[in-house]
Amino acid sequence: MSAASRLRGMLHDARVRRGLDVVLACLPWIALSIVLAWRLGGARVAGLVAMLAIVATAAFVRHRVRQLDTAWLVRELDARRPDLEDSTDLLFAAPEKLTTLERLQIARLTARLESAPTPDLRPRWSSRVIAIGAVFATLAIAGILAWPERQPVTFENVLANMGVSSGKPTHTRIVAQTLAITPPAYTRLPARESTTLDAKAPQGTRLQWTLRFAPQPEHAELVFHDGRRLALAREGDTWRATDTLARSALYRIVLQDAPPLQKTTLHRLDAIADRPPELRVVTPDRGLTLMKSGQRTWALAFEATDDYGVSPNARLRITVAHGSGEAIEFREQELGVGGTGAATSKRYVRQIDLGALGLAEGDDLVAQLRVDDNRSPGAQSARSASVILRWPPDLGAEATGVDGMVKKVLPAYFRSQRQIIIDAEALLKEKRTLANERFLAKSDAIGVDQRILRMRYGQFLGEEAEGEPQPPPTNDATDDHDSAQPADDHDHAASNATSAPAFGQEQAVVQQFGHTHDQPEAATLLDPETRATLKKALDQMWQSELQLRQGKPDDALPFAYRALGFIKEVQQATRIYLARVGTELPPIDETRRMTGDRGAVTRGDAVAAAPAADPELAALWRALEDGPRTSTVDFASLERWLGAHQSQLPDPLAFVAAIEALRAEPQCVRCRRDLRALLWHLLPRPAANVSRRAGDDPASRAYLDALREERAP
């Protein structure tokens, strides 16, 4: 071992001795401060003081130990060993910076250190300081523990010390109150303490009440508004209770074998429900995407958000629809997708290999993502909207001659009715987790899709598109009708350009301006049997749309299934012939010309009856008029009505609190007004009426006098 290593070992021993000496000197004072804090402030304050004392002692020990450095060691050795000739610092110098003379001096010093014993450089123990501190701290701790607990300075205690009896207390006071709130671990919310007994926290939160009363009751419990009771357990002078927040509630503290509480307060607990995650399709930007030529992959991107956090792993369900008509086959598989981003907002991206899925011409690829949140137990799931990648089929080249009058049925039209049924069934599964407004909006959106599909099928029967503006008729025979109305496949202008119509000839007018494709009987796209089947499908689609737009997908499913059955029958008609038929329009009634009679006029909206007021609610409203009418307030009827209409109330707990306040103080006018204010929003809005003028004001009298003067001769 080199001389420098031996000297560093001596320095380490000295530092250890100095650190232990400082710790032993501070330990009695640390114990004294902890005991004093525990007696004055309790265990929580004592723990805080202990932590601060340990941190301060560690900082002081570090400061004292750092004073023993290499310079201190050099000074001590030079002072205690004269034979080192004040050259100890050469032992710690860098070898590459030493001269030849300095290396000779180091060799001499090393020989002298090895030949003579090394002095003990460890500092002495602070025995006197340690002993005095230990004795003083022991006596002080014993005195603190033996000292009686200080009574609170109250009027009753002062009278008792003066020898005057204050008598039996008339009320019980809550001396201290604390509500510890510990949210579920999956929410990642910090635990907190509230000095009030009201709380608003997520469902599943652990609540712990800590109460102190004066005087002490024999029994105490928490009574909730739904009749549930939670007993408080006594631990010395403290009462504790623990519960899990499952739903919102109101409660009060009830004591037994004790004077009543000085102030009875109704406390409120609001449970915040964990919302299911929300999914949004980012890519592609539309529900139906047509496959491009040479495309090998399909990029999908979804975005999920949740109030507390979403799972980092999601499941992507892929469905491949292959075939046409009745020979449609479905293949399903699930793929795992990893999410990136924050805990409450993640993005899921996946590239779909179309070749690996075996996608062929005319197939549909349907993708839907499913993601869970981090609620424990019972994670909530959400599904995204379905996105479709379609490989358009090859309809073949157009033929000439007789085959030119033949068209193939478009399979894209006959395939989306199944998707409407799938969306309606998925919406019914999510009904319990969706709000009423959200459920109605989704049902209405599916109804809009059903309407669009019905209009597409209606084009095969010659129906005009709903809501599209029609061009006005023109007498210009050179104007091409196809350019003004692209949706028309008839060349009316070309046929009318041969001869100009004569005035008054109705057949010529019909021939020039008549449309035969707006009548199902005159439609030339389908044969009669297929047209009748498709007409049945349209009727069922209409009923399905009606129920979906009213928010009743369960009632719409039977009609949707029957429409799908008729559509499958239409699929069997592989060819549709365009028959050439003439126009057979109904004759025009000449007697109505120039009379202004439009015939039957359909009203836009039917007159609906105004909602009748709830008689029980109206009676409760009249019973709560200002004034001490306690005999007319039927609390049992009020609570019964509240239980039956709880879903219609925006805040049911506010109604319960208002009823309890009025029950506790029946003569309270403000309590009546508060309850009437809550009932006011539930009353039906009165119909608007024109109020009759009184006519006794100066302006009205002057106006009436002026009218009489004008009428007078």
Side-chain angles (χ1 to χ4, degrees):
M1 182 181 297
S2 62
S5 300
R6 292 177 57 190
L7 296 180
R8 289 191 181 91
M10 296 170 58
L11 179 61
H12 177 266
D13 295 341
R15 287 182 173 180
V16 172
R17 174 67 64 83
R18 174 66 63 83
L20 292 176
D21 183 69
V22 173
V23 170
L24 292 177
C26 296
L27 189 60
W29 306 103
I30 295 176
L32 177 60
S33 61
I34 293 174
V35 173
L36 183 61
W38 171 76
R39 190 59 185 270
L40 296 179
R44 191 178 300 276
V45 178
L48 180 61
V49 171
M51 185 180 301
L52 294 177
I54 292 174
V55 172
T57 303
F60 182 61
V61 169
R62 184 171 180 271
H63 171 70
R64 292 284 294 165
V65 168
R66 292 184 64 180
Q67 292 179 351
L68 304 181
D69 52 3
T70 305
W72 171 83
L73 180 62
V74 170
R75 290 195 303 269
E76 290 293 327
L77 288 176
D78 290 341
R80 298 188 183 189
R81 293 288 298 272
D83 56 338
L84 297 180
E85 300 176 355
D86 293 335
S87 301
T88 309
D89 55 341
L90 295 176
L91 298 174
F92 299 97
E96 62 274 6
K97 296 181 179 181
L98 297 176
T99 61
T100 304
L101 183 60
E102 290 175 343
R103 289 190 181 92
L104 294 174
Q105 181 67 8
I106 289 175
R108 295 176 57 193
L109 296 178
T110 302
R112 292 176 183 178
L113 287 174
E114 292 177 354
S115 61
T118 305
D120 187 6
L121 301 181
R122 294 179 299 176
R124 296 182 179 180
W125 293 100
S126 303
S127 304
R128 184 175 181 181
V129 176
I130 295 174
I132 294 175
V135 173
F136 181 80
T138 302
L139 296 177
I141 292 173
I144 292 173
L145 296 178
W147 193 266
E149 186 176 358
R150 183 176 66 88
Q151 297 181 352
V153 181
T154 60
F155 181 73
E156 293 81 2
N157 294 336
V158 172
L159 292 180
N161 294 333
M162 295 175 60
V164 179
S165 176
S166 59
K168 186 177 181 180
T170 58
H171 292 88
T172 300
R173 296 179 297 104
I174 300 179
V175 179
Q177 60 182 14
T178 303
L179 179 59
I181 303 171
T182 306
Y186 76 90
T187 62
R188 297 188 299 276
L189 296 177
R192 67 182 191 276
E193 287 188 353
S194 175
T195 56
T196 63
L197 300 183
D198 299 328
K200 187 175 183 180
Q203 283 184 341
T205 298
R206 183 175 179 271
L207 304 176
Q208 184 177 12
W209 289 266
T210 303
L211 303 171
R212 296 179 64 185
F213 303 101
Q216 292 290 348
E218 293 295 331
H219 182 72
E221 61 182 359
L222 306 178
V223 179
F224 294 84
H225 77 281
D226 55 358
R228 188 168 62 95
R229 294 176 176 268
L230 180 62
L232 291 166
R234 183 173 181 178
E235 301 176 1
D237 294 340
T238 305
W239 296 78
R240 301 182 187 276
T242 304
D243 194 19
T244 301
L245 182 60
R247 58 183 179 273
S248 301
L250 297 173
Y251 73 97
R252 60 163 50 91
I253 302 173
V254 178
L255 306 179
Q256 296 181 6
D257 299 333
L261 286 172
Q262 188 174 6
K263 184 179 181 181
T264 304
T265 305
L266 197 62
H267 305 283
R268 176 167 179 163
L269 299 176
D270 289 315
I272 304 175
D274 186 358
R275 299 191 303 270
E278 296 182 0
L279 267 175
R280 184 175 66 90
V281 181
V282 180
T283 304
D285 57 352
R286 61 193 65 187
L288 176 62
T289 305
L290 297 180
M291 185 175 174
K292 300 179 181 179
S293 177
Q295 183 176 351
R296 299 181 181 275
T297 60
W298 189 29
L300 296 176
F302 304 86
E303 189 176 82
T305 57
D306 190 69
D307 43 6
Y308 298 120
V310 292
S311 174
N313 299 317
R315 303 296 299 176
L316 181 64
R317 186 179 68 179
I318 297 177
T319 304
V320 178
H322 176 73
S324 62
E326 295 294 335
I328 298 180
E329 298 179 356
F330 296 93
R331 300 195 311 270
E332 292 188 0
Q333 61 175 316
E334 286 193 356
L335 303 176
V337 183
T340 59
T344 58
S345 178
K346 290 187 180 296
R347 192 181 183 95
Y348 303 89
V349 180
R350 184 64 185 258
Q351 290 281 347
I352 305 298
D353 188 358
L354 303 180
L357 295 176
L359 197 66
E361 187 175 358
D363 292 352
D364 282 355
L365 177 61
V366 184
Q368 187 181 44
L369 188 73
R370 177 179 177 271
V371 67
D372 301 335
D373 62 3
N374 61 349
R375 189 177 72 171
S376 178
Q380 301 179 105
S381 301
R383 294 182 181 272
S384 68
S386 298
V387 289
I388 304 173
L389 177 64
R390 174 165 298 164
W391 189 339
D394 185 10
L395 299 181
E398 296 185 358
T400 60
V402 178
D403 292 339
M405 301 172 59
V406 180
K407 290 187 177 180
K408 296 182 179 179
V409 177
L410 297 181
Y413 287 168
F414 300 114
R415 202 175 292 162
S416 55
Q417 180 66 23
R418 187 186 303 273
Q419 184 62 40
I420 291 176
I421 295 175
I422 294 174
D423 293 343
E425 290 176 346
L427 180 61
L428 286 177
K429 294 180 181 179
E430 300 175 356
K431 183 176 182 180
R432 295 184 178 179
T433 60
L434 294 177
N436 291 334
E437 295 80 5
R438 181 67 174 170
F439 179 81
L440 291 176
K442 285 193 172 183
S443 179
D444 184 73
I446 300 175
V448 172
D449 294 339
Q450 181 70 86
R451 172 181 175 270
I452 295 174
L453 184 62
R454 178 178 57 82
M455 292 169 57
R456 288 179 176 178
Y457 284 129
Q459 295 177 3
F460 287 93
L461 294 180
E463 295 181 358
E464 296 287 354
E466 297 177 13
E468 292 186 0
Q470 302 297 331
T474 176
N475 294 328
D476 189 2
T478 60
D479 186 14
D480 189 5
H481 183 66
D482 290 340
S483 62
Q485 198 170 5
D488 250 340
D489 292 335
H490 310 323
D491 191 5
H492 301 290
S495 62
N496 295 335
T498 58
S499 62
F503 180 79
Q505 295 181 2
E506 58 183 29
Q507 296 298 331
V509 175
V510 172
Q511 182 180 2
Q512 181 181 6
F513 303 111
H515 289 259
T516 60
H517 56 72
D518 55 354
Q519 300 180 16
E521 293 77 13
T524 62
L525 185 62
L526 304 174
D527 61 280
E529 182 179 355
T530 306
R531 183 170 61 247
T533 306
L534 190 55
K535 182 64 169 60
K536 295 178 182 179
L538 290 178
D539 294 339
Q540 299 300 321
M541 288 182 186
W542 174 264
Q543 296 296 332
S544 174
E545 175 190 351
L546 178 63
Q547 302 299 330
L548 288 171
R549 298 299 291 270
Q550 293 179 354
K552 302 176 182 178
D554 49 345
D555 296 339
L557 281 176
F559 300 105
Y561 274 110
R562 284 195 287 270
L564 182 60
F566 290 128
I567 291 173
K568 288 183 178 180
E569 295 181 12
V570 175
Q571 285 179 337
Q572 297 176 1
T574 57
R575 293 178 180 269
I576 301 174
Y577 292 89
L578 305 179
R580 299 183 182 273
V581 297
T583 58
E584 296 179 1
L585 299 179
I588 299 176
D589 187 4
E590 299 290 346
T591 60
R592 291 174 49 194
R593 299 189 63 181
M594 306 300 292
T595 61
D597 184 10
R598 295 182 297 169
V601 179
T602 304
R603 299 181 59 90
D605 297 327
V607 178
D614 188 352
E616 189 174 2
L617 181 61
L620 294 174
W621 168 264
R622 290 190 296 270
L624 291 171
E625 293 179 354
D626 294 343
R629 300 185 180 181
T630 57
S631 59
T632 59
V633 179
D634 188 359
F635 289 102
S637 177
L638 189 58
E639 292 177 349
R640 185 170 56 255
W641 180 90
L642 178 62
H645 301 79
Q646 189 172 2
S647 59
Q648 304 176 6
L649 306 179
D651 191 0
L653 295 183
F655 279 84
V656 176
I659 293 172
E660 293 296 328
L662 182 59
R663 192 197 302 271
E665 300 182 22
Q667 306 296 332
C668 179
V669 178
R670 182 182 60 82
C671 300
R672 290 173 174 269
R673 292 178 178 176
D674 293 343
L675 187 54
R676 279 170 62 91
L678 294 175
L679 293 175
W680 168 255
H681 300 284
L682 303 178
L683 294 174
R685 181 175 298 179
N689 295 321
V690 179
S691 59
R692 187 179 182 86
R693 296 180 59 180
D696 55 352
D697 56 304
S700 300
R701 287 196 298 269
Y703 179 72
L704 294 176
D705 293 341
L707 290 178
R708 294 190 188 97
E709 291 178 359
E710 289 184 0
R711 292 179 181 178

